[in-house]
Amino acid sequence: MNRHLDAVLGFAERMIGTRADAEDIAQDTFAKAWQQARRWKPGQAQYRTWLFQLAMNLIRDRWRKQRPSEPLDDTIADTQATPDSQLQSAAQAARVNAALQQLPERQRAAIILNHYHGLGNIETALAMDASVESVESLLGRARRSLRQSLNSERV
Amino acid sequence: MSTDTELDNLLNAYRVAPASAALRQRIVQNASRPSPWAELLAAIGGWRIAGPALAASLMFGVVSQLWWTQSVSHSVAEDSVWTLAMLNTTQEWANE
């Protein structure tokens, strides 16, 4: 559990944008993982990929019921950074979070799993219940959109 | 921002704090807590008591249902035979 909790929490927080909701999702993901442990088949997906799949489903369920309302307030900056650069990196993190939140759900999931968690296209497809081709297309579109929105914020 | 590396560097600026000890504890407690059904089962004495009690109440339900259905249909059939034969012995007929 310890090995995967940070990954699941990071995925949920980047998907939802708020820490409190992400913690709830992480907790529910592990509760579900223990309940459904028999359903996980080692040959099909890595345990971590399966956990991402469970988290993704829980996030979708939550979105169906309610949209997150509070903005992100809990990102970390470099521990050795000076206060000024801490502020700067916190602002940059907030910008990236805002840009991520603007992406459609599937593009966001694809870029988060691929970039932040190092999942390959096949694993990302497994976690998202999608084909590898659609993951490739989602990643391309997500990177284009992120580049556009982050560039426009800079101007 | 023109290259993928620049975008990657910018994305890396968004880091998430690791899970707190409180969250880890909450998850472990949640995992070790039995489900509400298991709690209820334990409260009524476990399967050794709940199993036979459930089976007995099921049997009682089936038997009493069968008994009730038979007795009602028998009495109805009996009444209708007497009525059909016009040999009904109620007070109304006896007076005539």
Side-chain angles (χ1 to χ4, degrees):
Chain A
M1 190 269 285
N2 279 337
R3 266 198 310 164
H4 302 297
L5 177 58
D6 288 338
V8 171
L9 183 66
F11 172 66
E13 187 167 330
R14 288 182 179 110
M15 280 301 288
I16 300 173
T18 63
R19 181 69 175 194
D21 286 342
E23 288 193 351
D24 287 348
I25 291 289
Q27 190 177 335
D28 292 349
T29 301
F30 282 95
K32 212 166 183 182
W34 275 307
Q35 279 169 13
Q36 302 186 353
R38 285 180 196 167
R39 290 195 194 172
W40 174 59
K41 294 185 178 69
Q44 278 181 4
Q46 283 186 5
Y47 187 65
R48 196 170 65 129
T49 310
W50 183 63
L51 286 175
F52 284 136
Q53 203 175 22
L54 293 178
M56 186 76 221
N57 290 337
L58 287 167
I59 290 168
R60 280 191 191 132
D61 288 348
R62 181 170 280 245
W63 275 339
R64 252 177 251 138
K65 288 174 197 159
Q66 56 166 52
R67 299 292 303 183
S69 51
E70 293 167 38
L72 177 82
D73 57 2
D74 200 7
T75 52
I76 56 162
D78 269 339
T79 46
Q80 293 176 343
T82 60
D84 267 1
S85 63
Q86 268 184 3
L87 273 177
Q88 208 176 4
S89 57
Q92 218 167 31
R95 267 179 60 208
V96 174
N97 180 35
L100 278 173
Q101 299 308 314
Q102 281 172 10
L103 291 176
E105 178 203 316
R106 286 164 63 78
Q107 287 183 29
R108 197 184 326 158
I111 196 85
I112 291 170
L113 290 171
N114 180 268
H115 178 82
Y116 291 103
H117 299 285
L119 262 63
N121 291 358
I122 296 171
E123 276 184 308
T124 305
L126 271 173
M128 291 179 61
D129 260 338
S131 68
V132 179
E133 291 78 18
S134 71
V135 165
E136 284 167 0
S137 149
L138 287 167
L139 282 172
R141 277 184 284 158
R143 294 186 82 87
R144 245 192 327 271
S145 302
L146 282 173
R147 213 174 275 140
Q148 271 176 3
S149 63
L150 290 169
N151 268 338
S152 67
E153 275 180 35
R154 248 184 207 182
V155 178
Chain B
M1 184 194 322
S2 53
T3 63
D4 274 351
T5 321
E6 277 178 312
L7 177 63
D8 287 343
N9 288 339
L10 198 55
L11 288 177
N12 288 340
Y14 179 16
R15 287 193 275 159
V16 169
S20 63
L23 176 65
R24 284 176 204 277
Q25 201 179 353
R26 232 164 59 206
I27 290 172
V28 171
Q29 276 174 352
N30 200 27
S32 55
R33 200 181 63 199
S35 72
W37 286 112
E39 277 181 7
L40 177 72
L41 193 65
I44 58 174
W47 274 118
R48 281 190 184 175
I49 293 172
L54 189 71
S57 64
L58 198 69
M59 280 295 289
F60 175 75
V62 169
V63 168
S64 61
Q65 175 70 21
L66 282 172
W67 176 80
W68 186 79
T69 315
Q70 271 181 354
S71 66
V72 166
S73 61
H74 179 69
S75 62
V76 168
E78 213 168 54
D79 279 354
S80 52
V81 167
W82 282 99
T83 312
L84 270 173
M86 297 185 80
L87 293 169
N88 199 326
T89 55
T90 55
Q91 196 61 35
E92 192 186 339
W93 286 90
N95 287 341
E96 286 179 23

